[in-house]
Amino acid sequence: MKKKRIIAITIFLSFICVLSIETFAHPGRTDANGGHYNRKTGEYHYHNGGGSSSGTSSSSGGGSSSSYSNTPKKVYASKVNVPNVPESINIGESVQLKGSVYPEDAVDKDISWESSDTSIVTIDENGNLKAVGNGTATVTAKTSNGTESKYIITVKEVMAEKIEIHNKPEQIFVDEKVLLNVVFTPENTTNKTVEWKSADETVAKISPSGEIVGIGVGKTKITASNKDKIDEFEVTVNPIEATSIEIFIEGQDDKLTDVPAFKKGETMQLNVNFIPENTTNKTVKWTVDNNEIATIDESGLLTGHKSGKAAVKASVSNEVYDTIEVKVLSDTSFVITGFLIITIIAVCILLVKKKKNKRT
């Protein structure tokens, strides 16, 4: 009897040990299919014949047999992790976001991306994020099954610490154009808008794009500003001097080849061609070397007074000049009239003498 008790106790303790080993080897409760995931290995398996039945059971001689399907259920992501999302970023900067799902064996591993405000942050299907505007936006990483994580990103504006005008000339000519540009420090300054200003637009003007043009002779100050940052310089606008001039007769297209002539008492309008054509100061000083023969006024109107030749000179402020010779002719109308009168008188005298001769 004592021996039977020892055997019974031994069997009981062995059964308890088997249950304990099974429990510790596979922790976790079973699901409705009679299976569960091993927390240590992540493997799904069944206990005690669990699972969906795919066959029939039969008994013969008190025994039974069964067949079950061991296909596990699909695992979906319970969380999306994006470890490299920046809390703040500067306008113009870009980041390649890299996301992953938990658990690793989830079937919905593909992640889609979304920005709450594309005027602040844009992001493409591959997670390429770019900061485009100042402010705060939310980026969402989502799986196909709807699991998502949201991240708030602040986009900051990079302010200019210094601006400097490049290509600034000390001197330009009237009508000359020079394009200026501004260099920003730091280079990634967000707002690079420049406001240009000329202190005296009668001397020089400057366009919104930074193109300066000389208007009149003098000096003026050119200023570039970006918010509270300013740079400026002074420019001198010089006149365009004539390199040569050429006298011509108004109304005549041909270049002077012969000495121009006009009658005593008549006038001739002279003018000047300038080289270059855009010469700034086109004021001409006219002179004649012999005012008894001809005179000329400040507009270049030449008047003949006495027959003969005279030299006319046109000069400009930088001592460039041109000269021509003109000829003043006598008024032949009086000569012709006198000749006709003398001829008539001579004819009359001849006729009178002829009649006297006939009488005698």
Side-chain angles (χ1 to χ4, degrees), residues 140-338:
T140 302
K142 183 188 295 186
T143 68
S144 59
N145 196 45
T147 301
E148 63 181 30
S149 293
K150 294 180 180 291
Y151 302 90
I152 297 176
I153 300 175
T154 300
V155 179
K156 298 179 179 179
E157 183 177 356
V158 181
M159 306 296 291
E161 298 174 4
K162 177 184 176 183
I163 65 171
E164 184 178 2
I165 302 172
H166 277 209
N167 197 33
K168 49 189 176 186
E170 293 182 359
Q171 299 184 32
I172 62 173
F173 291 99
V174 174
D175 295 333
E176 184 180 0
K177 297 179 180 179
V178 177
L179 184 62
L180 308 179
N181 67 293
V182 171
V183 174
F184 288 81
T185 304
E187 289 185 7
N188 64 335
T189 297
T190 304
N191 181 3
K192 292 186 176 181
T193 302
V194 177
E195 182 178 349
W196 294 97
K197 183 179 179 181
S198 171
D200 189 347
E201 293 193 341
T202 63
V203 175
K205 291 184 178 180
I206 188 160
S207 70
S209 63
E211 184 178 64
I212 184 174
V213 56
I215 303 298
V217 177
K219 293 183 179 182
T220 187
K221 185 178 290 184
I222 303 297
T223 303
S225 59
N226 173 268
K227 295 187 176 180
D228 61 337
K229 299 298 181 287
I230 294 175
D231 190 21
E232 58 188 12
F233 71 99
E234 188 176 69
V235 62
T236 300
V237 180
N238 296 317
I240 300 175
E241 302 286 359
T243 57
S244 65
I245 62 174
E246 183 179 44
I247 299 173
F248 68 95
I249 300 174
E250 195 73 43
Q252 294 186 10
D253 296 332
D254 296 336
K255 187 176 180 180
L256 293 177
T257 55
D258 298 324
V259 176
F262 66 111
K263 295 177 182 179
K264 182 176 67 175
E266 292 183 343
T267 60
M268 179 185 294
Q269 181 63 59
L270 303 181
N271 213 330
V272 169
N273 283 324
F274 290 84
I275 299 173
E277 291 185 2
N278 63 338
T279 296
T280 305
N281 184 3
K282 293 185 176 182
T283 302
V284 179
K285 181 181 179 181
W286 296 95
T287 57
V288 179
D289 68 342
N290 192 335
N291 288 327
E292 290 183 1
I293 294 175
T295 57
I296 191 167
D297 66 12
E298 60 183 12
S299 68
L301 183 66
L302 184 68
T303 303
H305 299 295
K306 182 181 177 181
S307 62
K309 291 183 179 180
V312 179
K313 180 179 180 180
S315 57
V316 292
S317 59
N318 62 336
E319 300 182 355
V320 173
Y321 65 91
D322 187 26
T323 60
I324 63 169
E325 188 178 54
V326 296
K327 183 188 294 184
V328 179
L329 304 174
S330 297
D331 190 349
T332 58
S333 61
F334 295 104
V335 176
I336 294 172
T337 302

Side-chain angles (χ1 to χ4, degrees), residues 24-188:
F24 285 106
H26 305 291
R29 295 183 178 181
T30 59
D31 55 22
N33 294 319
H36 75 146
Y37 285 97
N38 188 319
R39 294 176 184 173
K40 294 182 178 179
T41 65
E43 179 185 0
Y44 188 91
H45 59 272
Y46 293 100
H47 286 275
N48 300 326
S52 57
S53 174
S54 61
T56 59
S57 62
S58 61
S59 61
S60 175
S64 64
S65 64
S66 300
S67 62
Y68 299 95
S69 171
N70 290 327
T71 304
K73 284 188 174 181
K74 292 182 178 180
V75 179
Y76 293 97
S78 60
K79 187 177 181 181
V80 180
N81 294 317
V82 187
N84 67 326
V85 178
E87 293 183 1
S88 65
I89 188 174
N90 294 325
I91 294 177
E93 293 182 346
S94 299
V95 177
Q96 169 67 66
L97 299 185
K98 297 180 180 180
S100 61
V101 299
Y102 178 84
E104 293 182 0
D105 58 346
V107 295
D108 52 340
K109 287 187 169 104
D110 293 334
I111 298 174
S112 61
W113 305 90
E114 182 180 321
S115 170
S116 64
D117 192 340
T118 55
S119 67
I120 297 175
V121 168
T122 62
I123 189 165
D124 65 15
E125 60 184 6
N126 298 315
N128 295 307
L129 179 143
K130 185 173 182 179
V132 295
N134 188 32
T136 300
T138 300
V139 170
T140 302
K142 183 188 295 186
T143 68
S144 59
N145 196 45
T147 301
E148 63 181 30
S149 293
K150 294 180 180 291
Y151 302 90
I152 297 176
I153 300 175
T154 300
V155 179
K156 298 179 179 179
E157 183 177 356
V158 181
M159 306 296 291
E161 298 174 4
K162 177 184 176 183
I163 65 171
E164 184 178 2
I165 302 172
H166 277 209
N167 197 33
K168 49 189 176 186
E170 293 182 359
Q171 299 184 32
I172 62 173
F173 291 99
V174 174
D175 295 333
E176 184 180 0
K177 297 179 180 179
V178 177
L179 184 62
L180 308 179
N181 67 293
V182 171
V183 174
F184 288 81
T185 304
E187 289 185 7
N188 64 335

